[in-house]
Amino acid sequence: MATAILEGLNLQQQEAVEHIEGPLLIVAGPGSGKTRVITRRIAYLVKVCGVSPRRILAVTFTNKAAREMQERLFGKSEKDPGAPLLDWGMRRDLIVSTFHAFCASVLRREGEPLGLTRDFTIYDGEDQLSVVRQAMEEAELDPKQYAPRAILDTISGAKAQLIDAEGYRRLVQSHWEEIVQQVYHRYQDRLAGNQAVDFDDLLMKACLLFRDHPDVLERYQDRYLHTLIDEFQDTNLAQYELARQLAGRHRNLCVVGDPDQSIYSWRHADIRNILSFQRDFPDAKRVTLAENYRSTQVILDAAQHIIAANKERLEKSLFTRRDEGRPIVVHEAYNQDEEAQWVLQEVDRLRKEEKASLKDVAVMYRVNAQSRALEEGCLRYGVPYKLVGALRFYQRREIKDVIAYLRLLVNPQDDVSLLRVLNVPPRGIGTKTQDELVRQARDLGIPLMEALGRVSKGAQEAAFPSAGRAAMTRFYELMTALSRASQEQDLPSLIDQVVERSGYRRHILEEGKEGEERWDNVMEFRASAQEFGDLEPREALTAFLERVALVSDQDNLDETKEGITLTTLHQAKGLEFPVVFMVGMEERLLPHSRSFDDPAEMEEERRLCYVGMTRAKDRLYLVRAFRRNVMGGNQTGVPSRFLQDIPPHLILRPPPAKASAEALWDWSAAPRKEPSPKSALSVGDHVRHAKFGEGIVVNCVPSGSDHEVTVAFKGGGVKRLLLSYAPLEPVE
DNA sequence: GCCGTGTTATTTTTT
DNA sequence: ATAACACGGC
């Protein structure tokens, strides 16, 4: 049994799997088989050491990572032929969860001493911001003078350090902290009044609960004989403390991470946790996984040269047994459009000449704004693409609106959700009326929903005009009726009732074409609620809301879909592709300009670059544009300093002019090609096609004695046509 | 109370 | 360029 589980692992990996007594730090370089080690370790614990699965806790950062781990352990379904490590039946005993989901479940069960009911609501960033605004208004702070966003960031940072409002008050030392302090306690009061917690509270409150209620902690400590934390370099202090607390009894804490891939310090992740771990667990064993199974020698070598320039790091040198591989291609394009064009031409070449699949290709960039030129390029050339999580489904307005209705049914104290939908669709409850309602609720110290109830029952009639009062009564009655429905209807029908009886459906469909899209989203949302069908209505609703709050990216990995992947460097973490293009390799973009005045941030940019490069298995392209549109203006760019750090012998630099396929690999020897026959059309020309109508020439390449022109038609279609055959005529 | 115009800011965003 | 957001006029 033991041999099967250890099969195919290298010595260090085996060491990491077999060291089960006491703390363990696994430093896992990119592509070093980290997930493999974690899953095998769990299997080893269960099958060899006889540990009950319910006494193991595995924590990841993303739901995706958690799901992946589960699939590797148990297979995708009960009948999955891919040899699973553990029996399907153990699936629900073993906890593989994110920190946040784990904390949420702890707080739902144990939150009473903190004043939390089981039905508390989890606020996302948008909700948080709106509470900050309310708190600022109460504190009479001008949102123009103090950015709510910045205040929220500071509060969030404090929570990540386990500093609650009271603790913060004692620490105030600067003008800014004084301001934040004024908002912080009001912010927390409001959350408490709304029976809500934010993401940071999930961690902080769970941690404080354990600290102040040792009896509760003890129950969990006893249970978890083994604790595993993945992506340890991205933990913040609260998460580290939680891990320490949970593993406090048995001390079998295994953490896995790579300081070189820490790219979330701006989300308050703290690499120092790795150092603290070694301090707090001086007997910890440390295993370094240095063999890389992913990338070619050249790619790994280049990446190492990039990261080596960082001062703050745990030195480790990776190696691969793979061949040298192809040189890294560095290319300069004229501007971002030609950058995209060059990438796509190269993709096309790879597909034709090397039978590469589009699924093998990823294009990575620093900021989301860069995706635009790439998307447009893909549309022009008809290249299918997958855009990773640019606009998150659950954050779309229409989805959040429906969620707000649903939340209110579970937690009527949720004022943020109430204010969100009180006048959506417009039902004649304007700001004037709302303000008055808010004022009354505050004076009485009651939730808005309760205040609405009083109004509808005829109290305080003097303060409201009768139209407003009638509208509020209607709303209150609507919510009462929906609340009744939520007890007995299944989720999809409940959602139907919500959008129908509130008038929301009609409201968004009135907005024309865009509204139809929105409506489609709502219907997709409704469909996603169907899988909770086997639960009681009420349970289904709470379970659904929990998932909606804690899972943001469930659908955006359709690995089966054909197309190239467009993603930010941050989102690329944990992924791998045979072919990687990193675009925007320019100063101010890849080391981002905001990192220029802080050496620590600059090191993070370097790590980001390292993460991107090490995603590549076989081929890596580093591309930059000479000119780029930045916020309306147009600027010239300087090559990224990171490019200079790659030894020249690893790089192939095609000529700056458009490289043809042949010239790409042997350009110095290639004879200059004859100038191609002049085309009657060139890029940008307006043309008319007998069948497709008007369009613009977006590309024109010689093809034999003919020209192949690509035309984007106004009707939306993009067609490739042979000039001599296609009935095209120029239009002025 | 609603709508339109002006103003502002715009890195990354696992939860 | 763009889009969210606030303010002021109708």
Side-chain angles (χ1 to χ4, degrees):
Chain A
M1 183 51 75
T3 48
I5 287 175
L6 296 175
E7 200 181 282
L9 299 181
N10 68 34
L11 283 177
Q12 290 71 37
Q13 292 176 327
Q14 288 184 23
E15 226 181 328
V17 170
E18 289 182 299
H19 177 89
I20 51 166
E21 289 283 320
L24 171 65
L25 166 63
I26 304 174
V27 179
S32 62
K34 181 189 67 167
T35 311
R36 200 165 187 224
V37 167
I38 299 178
T39 49
R40 298 280 188 109
R41 186 181 156 85
I42 293 173
Y44 187 85
L45 287 169
V46 174
K47 293 202 133 169
V48 178
C49 310
V51 176
S52 158
R54 63 178 306 281
R55 303 199 64 188
I56 299 172
L57 172 67
V59 182
T60 61
F61 270 76
T62 62
N63 296 289
K64 194 175 143 210
R67 188 175 47 235
E68 255 170 42
M69 205 171 284
Q70 289 228 318
E71 279 174 9
R72 291 244 213 147
L73 283 166
F74 303 104
K76 284 193 175 166
S77 67
E78 195 163 2
K79 293 272 177 279
D80 190 357
L85 292 164
L86 295 175
D87 302 333
W88 183 259
M90 296 175 175
R91 205 168 182 277
R92 47 181 177 66
D93 291 333
L94 179 72
I95 300 185
V96 183
S97 164
T98 64
F99 265 112
H100 290 84
F102 176 77
C103 290
S105 81
V106 169
L107 291 174
R108 294 227 187 266
R109 270 197 301 269
E110 323 277 352
E112 206 208 306
L114 302 179
L116 290 174
T117 70
R118 267 169 181 274
D119 288 328
F120 66 78
T121 299
I122 299 169
Y123 279 175
D124 70 10
E126 201 187 338
D127 305 321
Q128 287 177 281
L129 212 49
S130 107
V131 180
V132 166
R133 290 212 177 88
Q134 291 169 22
M136 286 180 72
E137 201 187 321
E138 190 187 319
E140 294 179 333
L141 292 168
D142 179 4
K144 278 196 200 126
Q145 198 180 351
Y146 306 103
R149 173 88 260 156
I151 293 185
L152 177 59
D153 276 348
T154 309
I155 293 176
S156 165
K159 289 182 176 181
Q161 312 272 338
L162 296 169
I163 302 167
D164 62 12
E166 182 50 38
Y168 197 86
R169 188 201 303 273
R170 288 196 296 269
L171 287 173
V172 167
Q173 277 186 347
S174 65
H175 169 84
W176 173 250
E177 286 165 357
E178 166 75 35
I179 299 300
V180 171
Q181 189 277 129
Q182 291 180 41
V183 181
Y184 194 175
H185 77 268
R186 291 184 169 89
Y187 174 83
Q188 288 306 100
D189 287 349
R190 280 174 181 270
L191 289 185
N194 290 358
Q195 198 54 237
V197 300
D198 63 22
F199 283 135
D200 306 303
D201 280 337
L202 288 172
L203 306 176
M204 180 177 76
K205 284 185 185 287
C207 206
L208 298 182
L209 172 83
F210 285 147
R211 190 194 63 193
D212 299 332
H213 301 269
D215 53 313
V216 177
L217 173 60
E218 231 169 83
R219 293 206 313 273
Y220 288 84
Q221 280 184 332
D222 281 345
R223 169 166 176 184
Y224 299 120
L225 204 50
H226 288 274
T227 311
L228 293 99
I229 313 290
D230 192 12
E231 305 283 12
F232 190 62
Q233 76 281 353
D234 290 328
T235 48
N236 62 32
L237 185 72
Q239 289 162 326
Y240 175 56
E241 277 305 314
L242 275 164
R244 221 155 69 106
Q245 288 173 326
L246 290 166
R249 168 93 198 276
H250 302 292
R251 297 185 84 254
N252 297 323
L253 175 60
C254 168
V255 302
V256 190
D258 179 4
D260 288 337
Q261 293 183 66
S262 160
I263 52 174
Y264 282 103
S265 75
W266 52 276
R267 298 240 342 162
H268 313 115
D270 194 340
I271 332 184
R272 286 174 306 179
N273 283 340
I274 292 193
L275 303 175
S276 308
F277 181 79
Q278 290 171 307
R279 185 197 63 216
D280 295 337
F281 298 91
D283 57 326
K285 177 163 179 81
R286 180 160 137 196
V287 177
T288 303
L289 305 181
E291 176 162 6
N292 173 293
Y293 295 94
R294 179 184 295 152
S295 309
T296 63
Q297 197 79 243
V298 161
I299 290 170
L300 198 59
D301 220 20
Q304 300 238 76
H305 274 93
I306 295 286
I307 200 69
N310 272 357
K311 300 226 161 47
E312 302 281 330
R313 62 186 294 258
L314 260 146
E315 181 66 35
K316 67 172 180 308
S317 63
L318 304 174
F319 68 98
T320 177
R321 287 185 232 202
R322 289 199 55 186
D323 290 345
E324 209 169 81
R326 304 283 198 145
I328 292 167
V329 177
V330 173
H331 176 75
E332 179 194 289
Y334 176 64
N335 61 19
Q336 70 243 310
D337 297 326
E338 294 192 3
E339 180 183 57
Q341 183 185 335
W342 186 84
V343 167
L344 293 170
Q345 266 172 9
E346 185 61 15
V347 169
D348 196 46
R349 191 189 69 78
L350 288 170
R351 183 166 54 165
K352 286 195 179 114
E353 293 177 19
E354 315 200 3
K355 308 277 179 270
S357 153
L358 293 181
K359 276 188 277 214
D360 294 342
V361 179
V363 187
M364 304 179 182
Y365 37 83
R366 177 66 233 263
V367 302
N368 275 124
Q370 287 173 264
S371 73
R372 192 173 181 145
L374 291 160
E375 278 186 89
E376 282 172 3
C378 285
L379 291 172
R380 271 183 199 167
Y381 296 106
V383 177
Y385 65 93
K386 296 175 274 190
L387 190 70
V388 178
L391 39 139
R392 298 191 154 329
F393 186 70
Y394 291 122
Q395 281 174 211
R396 287 172 214 209
R397 198 186 6 165
E398 61 276 19
I399 302 304
K400 285 218 68 180
D401 287 341
V402 178
I403 291 174
Y405 275 105
L406 296 177
R407 277 178 173 180
L408 273 175
L409 300 176
V410 171
N411 175 15
Q413 297 186 58
D414 179 356
D415 288 355
V416 170
S417 295
L418 192 141
L419 287 174
R420 184 182 181 100
V421 296
L422 182 57
N423 201 33
V424 177
R427 43 172 76 89
I429 311 176
T431 39
K432 224 33 190 300
T433 315
Q434 285 187 26
D435 287 349
E436 178 57 23
L437 183 72
V438 167
R439 220 207 74 234
Q440 292 195 7
R442 201 183 47 212
D443 288 350
L444 293 162
I446 57 173
L448 292 173
M449 188 67 86
E450 210 177 313
L452 276 176
R454 295 168 74 105
V455 171
S456 72
K457 286 181 187 74
Q460 290 108 12
E461 56 270 340
F464 296 106
S466 65
R469 200 171 64 235
M472 285 188 288
T473 304
R474 271 199 304 280
F475 179 77
Y476 183 76
E477 281 164 359
L478 167 72
M479 294 313 293
T480 312
L482 288 174
S483 174
R484 212 172 303 124
S486 76
Q487 311 280 357
E488 42 210 45
Q489 311 253 344
D490 63 24
L491 269 180
S493 351
L494 178 63
I495 293 172
D496 289 339
Q497 297 235 357
V498 165
V499 297
E500 209 53 57
R501 298 173 75 167
S502 67
Y504 193 75
R505 184 179 71 91
R506 183 136 43 103
H507 171 62
I508 58 174
L509 281 175
E510 267 168 16
E511 282 166 41
K513 205 164 178 228
E514 203 184 322
E516 270 171 45
E517 235 169 74
R518 290 229 178 96
W519 177 244
D520 290 343
N521 288 332
V522 173
M523 284 298 98
E524 199 183 324
F525 179 70
R526 176 189 185 274
S528 77
Q530 247 147 12
E531 53 186 283
F532 295 82
D534 37 354
L535 295 174
E536 290 300 302
R538 200 64 189 182
E539 276 174 72
L541 179 56
T542 47
F544 182 56
L545 286 177
E546 182 94 340
R547 194 189 61 186
V548 158
L550 296 175
V551 176
S552 52
D553 69 337
Q554 45 159 19
D555 284 323
N556 65 38
L557 82 155
D558 31 352
E559 275 143 14
T560 48
K561 195 184 150 196
E562 183 74 5
I564 65 172
T565 300
L566 308 181
T567 173
T568 63
L569 288 163
H570 282 88
Q571 291 184 117
K573 198 181 76 167
L575 307 177
E576 59 175 27
F577 299 88
V579 182
V580 169
F581 291 86
M582 287 170 66
V583 298
M585 295 296 297
E586 296 139 49
E587 287 288 295
R588 316 186 68 77
L589 201 50
L590 188 34
H592 196 272
S593 49
R594 296 237 180 161
S595 65
F596 280 17
D597 43 12
D598 182 344
E601 284 182 42
M602 185 56 84
E603 293 213 342
E604 184 147 315
E605 295 294 304
R606 200 173 268 286
R607 292 194 292 270
L608 195 52
C609 183
Y610 173 75
V611 166
M613 292 171 73
T614 54
R615 298 310 93 196
K617 288 167 140 169
D618 306 323
R619 300 218 180 205
L620 179 60
Y621 295 83
L622 303 174
V623 192
R624 72 180 188 95
F626 171 64
R627 282 189 177 278
R628 188 173 293 278
N629 292 115
V630 183
M631 291 178 227
N634 186 288
Q635 295 173 4
T636 61
V638 175
S640 166
R641 66 190 68 187
F642 301 148
L643 291 171
Q644 329 286 280
D645 294 327
I646 301 173
H649 72 273
L650 302 176
I651 295 178
L652 184 71
R653 286 176 198 274
K658 272 186 201 165
S660 74
E662 301 78 28
L664 195 62
W665 298 109
D666 192 17
W667 52 274
S668 53
R672 279 264 164 270
K673 288 183 93 181
E674 291 299 314
S676 48
K678 189 89 185 85
S679 154
L681 288 173
S682 50
V683 173
D685 286 354
H686 291 247
V687 292
R688 187 195 314 281
H689 184 279
K691 197 156 135 209
F692 302 123
E694 270 187 48
I696 296 177
V697 176
V698 293
N699 195 24
C700 182
V701 288
S703 145
S705 59
D706 205 337
H707 278 84
E708 184 189 272
V709 290
T710 310
V711 183
F713 290 100
K714 279 191 178 150
V718 177
K719 294 276 183 292
R720 268 178 224 212
L721 307 157
L722 279 181
L723 193 54
S724 55
Y725 297 120
L728 284 175
E729 52 180 71
V731 181
E732 221 8 88

